[in-house]
């Protein structure tokens, strides 16, 4: 949303294949996040990164990997080890706003594993 | 984080004000009230946040009661494009990078002609 791009919008892969989801931002925000959203459910945190070359596991990191080689980019790889990868994937950035932190989201990538 | 309670659904006629309530009776003094919305098949969109004073931006107004136990998001002139699920959440001051967002079930707002 407003400076966060995710591509592609829809992605189809065969079971057993790794797939990489792109997330790029031009907001100059330091922190970036990956969430997963399943139908009718809330957000679940996969990974997050506070600065370049550093990232931390979220609540459901198993079967996923990330990298943060540039401030603008935080790609997510869904590996074949992820048991149920079909979901809506959301990338977000975070910025300090006064005394609080506000997160902004990209448009999402809907991954379907056949 | 404090829990929030929202009505599951609301209707609003196009052009009228949409008033979306949120109860956060267990909010603590160091927690902000945030509103996001999610249009079908899109990423969540940040709307507004506030601590204790009423806030207004180009999208909406946020009215927080004096005791901070509830708030109302006001869309002054709803349009069909405002049809979405609206989420009210509370987040501590100085959350830091490690804090994830947690959405509840939200309010599904349907704007009609």
């Amino acid at each position: 949303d407003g400076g966060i791009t995710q591509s592609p919008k829809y992605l189809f892969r065969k079971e057993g294949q790794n797939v990489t989801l792109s997330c790029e931002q031009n907001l100059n925000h330091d922190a970036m996040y990956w969430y997963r959203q399943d139908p009718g459910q809330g957000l679940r945190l996969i990974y997050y990164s506070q600065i370049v070359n550093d990232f931390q596991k979220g609540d459901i990191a198993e079967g996923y990997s990330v990298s943060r080689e540039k401030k603008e980019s935080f790609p997510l790889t869904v590996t074949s080890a992820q048991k149920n990868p079909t979901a809506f994937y959301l990338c977000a950035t975070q910025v300090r706003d006064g005394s609080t932190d506000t997160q902004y989201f990209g448009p999402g990538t809907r991954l379907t594993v056949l | 984080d404090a829990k929030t309670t929202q009505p599951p659904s609301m209707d609003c006629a196009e052009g009228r004000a949409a008033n979306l309530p949120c109860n956060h009776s267990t909010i603590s003094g160091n927690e902000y009230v945030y509103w996001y919305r999610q249009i079908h098949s899109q990423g969540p969109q940040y709307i507004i946040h506030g601590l204790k004073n009423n806030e207004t931006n180009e999208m909406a107004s946020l009215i927080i009661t004096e005791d901070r136990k509830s708030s109302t998001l006001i869309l002054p002139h709803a349009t069909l494009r405002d049809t979405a699920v609206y989420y009210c959440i509370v987040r501590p001051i100085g959350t830091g990078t490690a804090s994830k967002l947690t959405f509840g079930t939200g309010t599904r707002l349907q704007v009609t002609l």
Side-chain angles (χ1 to χ4, degrees):
Chain A
D1 186 21
I4 304 171
T5 57
Q6 292 185 244
S7 60
K9 185 174 176 67
Y10 299 97
L11 190 54
F12 297 88
R13 279 293 182 269
K14 292 183 180 179
E15 194 171 341
Q17 289 182 333
N18 292 355
V19 61
T20 297
L21 282 58
S22 168
C23 178
E24 303 282 330
Q25 57 113 349
N26 62 3
L27 301 172
N28 200 35
H29 293 171
D30 287 318
M32 296 185 74
Y33 299 76
W34 275 105
Y35 291 92
R36 168 182 172 142
Q37 187 176 41
D38 293 282
Q41 297 189 30
L43 304 175
R44 290 188 288 170
L45 182 64
I46 305 172
Y47 268 97
Y48 64 96
S49 168
Q50 301 179 62
I51 57 172
V52 174
N53 293 323
D54 180 68
F55 47 83
Q56 309 295 329
K57 292 182 179 179
D59 298 323
I60 56 165
E62 185 175 352
Y64 299 98
S65 65
V66 293
S67 63
R68 187 86 186 276
E69 298 176 0
K70 300 185 301 181
K71 187 175 185 176
E72 301 80 15
S73 178
F74 190 40
L76 173 74
T77 297
V78 184
T79 74
S80 57
Q82 168 50 230
K83 296 280 190 283
N84 185 19
T86 294
F88 190 43
Y89 290 87
L90 290 159
C91 176
T93 67
Q94 179 167 292
V95 66
R96 175 54 60 98
D97 181 2
S99 60
T100 188
D101 299 293
T102 300
Q103 291 191 15
Y104 298 89
F105 288 84
T109 291
R110 189 167 300 279
L111 173 65
T112 302
V113 175
L114 306 171
Chain B
D1 295 356
K3 183 178 176 179
T4 62
T5 304
Q6 299 177 252
S9 64
M10 294 182 64
D11 292 329
C12 179
E14 189 175 35
R16 304 296 294 268
N19 297 283
L20 292 91
C22 180
N23 182 288
H24 31 79
S25 57
T26 59
I27 193 171
S28 62
N30 69 340
E31 289 181 314
Y32 276 81
V33 178
Y34 272 80
W35 284 84
Y36 284 81
R37 73 181 182 184
Q38 189 168 23
I39 296 169
H40 183 62
S41 294
Q42 297 184 23
Q45 180 184 22
Y46 163 77
I47 302 173
I48 199 167
H49 71 275
L51 185 62
K52 52 185 177 181
N53 297 323
N54 298 337
E55 302 287 344
T56 296
N57 63 19
E58 64 279 3
M59 288 185 66
S61 295
L62 175 60
I63 307 299
I64 303 174
T65 58
E66 192 169 343
D67 64 6
R68 301 188 68 242
K69 293 183 185 296
S70 65
S71 61
T72 301
L73 179 75
I74 300 172
L75 307 178
H77 304 287
T79 71
L80 296 177
R81 287 192 298 270
D82 292 321
T83 294
V85 179
Y86 287 76
Y87 298 100
C88 167
I89 61 174
V90 292
R91 279 168 63 79
I93 290 173
T95 305
T97 310
S99 176
K100 60 188 176 188
L101 279 187
T102 303
F103 287 173
T105 54
T107 296
R108 185 172 299 277
L109 176 68
Q110 180 69 52
V111 180
T112 58
L113 291 171

